[in-house]
Amino acid sequence: MAALSVQMGALAGSGVTLRSSVYGSKLSGRKIQGISASRIASRPRAVRMGLTESGPSVAVVGVTGAVGQEFLAVLSERNFPYSKLKLLASKRSAGKHISFEGRDYEIEELTKESFEGIDISLFSAGGSISKEYGPLAAEMGSIVVDNSSAFRMVDGVPLIVPEVNADAMAHIKLSNKKGAIIANPNCSTIICLMAATPLHRHAKVKRMVVSTYQAASGAGAAAMAELEQQTREVLDGQEPTCNIFNRQYAFNLFSHNSAVTGNGYNEEEMKLVKETRKIWNDPEVLVTATCIRVPVMRAHAESINLQFERELDENTAREILSKAEGVVVVDDRSGNNFPTPLEVSSKDDVAVGRIRKDISQKGNFGLDIFVCGDQIRKGAALNAVQIAEKLL
């Protein structure tokens, strides 16, 4: 069995040297629905500057985690302009070194003074850290882009997917010289709305039913490492190590590990419901979800059923999605080739396929689609950096 753990010094040529339990796959460049699959791997970048005296100062909070490491990769790949880079983590990681774009950086312990002179702070260190340090950073003049759930449903805090609702953060700019907090939505919400929103704009979604198949990466680097470890153990006939989910994950799937609420939905499912309504600015849209953890390393899949107010046939839907920013259509019925988590791993675009009429509804008022997206990239780090680009 090929090792899943890889050295990330090669991180797509990003110039980042560190270690993480992540993996990706290369697409062959074959044609899919008239679109070269290589489009998933190569896209024009909005910003081309990198280290520059005129750039903002940037802090990465939680830099040793899976998303924190991906922050660095995405910053480098997109040549995000920065004049200063501060890498922050817990006390146990302080003093370690990371090589980034040919320069050596020492990881610093996160403290209340960490954000002095920092323009943009990218947070991915968990909700409790965000709640403690996010407001402090904002008070010190930093614009916080937070990847946790701490501020997503707070009134006045924009919840942003740049391709969907960038206008909701239009009032926040670096030039204002004021601190602020912007929330990154949950990974499953981002991936879902990247595909659903272009169709929603055309025909208005009345009801959305989502079933998710979520990768280990959503639970962090430790879960990814344990999935790899369990796979080896089970294949060797050993009892699997179960520290993260307290059950066998390899060769198994189970209801998402978040807490089940009083209405029977777990917290992950309710995030999809509440965040969709906030992002679309539509408290009346009907959303229901079932979230499942599957033994995949780092990309989520979602089955989405959509009911519309206005008719929308599958051919028009396919055309709309093929033109949507950040989306690639993989919908080859004759070849039975559709999106897979493996093929979108380490890629930016969300892949959409299985585009078909919902035959349980009369007319063309319903569609089914299948979506895959990299949870660490578009579901977290890439979306946050795209938000930061909007601040420039």
Side-chain angles (χ1 to χ4, degrees), residues 90-147:
S90 64
K91 185 176 182 179
R92 68 177 179 273
S93 296
K96 295 179 181 179
H97 289 256
I98 287 179
S99 177
F100 178 70
E101 297 192 331
R103 294 174 178 82
D104 182 77
Y105 292 86
E106 182 176 341
I107 298 173
E108 300 178 32
E109 180 183 357
L110 175 63
T111 68
K112 294 179 180 179
E113 291 74 39
S114 294
F115 304 98
E116 185 68 40
I118 296 296
D119 297 315
I120 298 174
S121 299
L122 302 175
F123 272 67
S124 189
S128 60
I129 294 295
S130 293
K131 288 178 181 178
E132 181 177 358
Y133 290 97
L136 287 173
E139 287 173 8
M140 297 177 74
S142 184
I143 299 177
V144 173
V145 183
D146 180 50
N147 192 55

Side-chain angles (χ1 to χ4, degrees), residues 5-23:
S5 229
V6 298
Q7 288 288 341
M8 294 187 69
L11 252 176
S14 65
V16 184
T17 302
L18 32 77
R19 182 173 176 83
S20 177
S21 295
V22 297
Y23 78 106

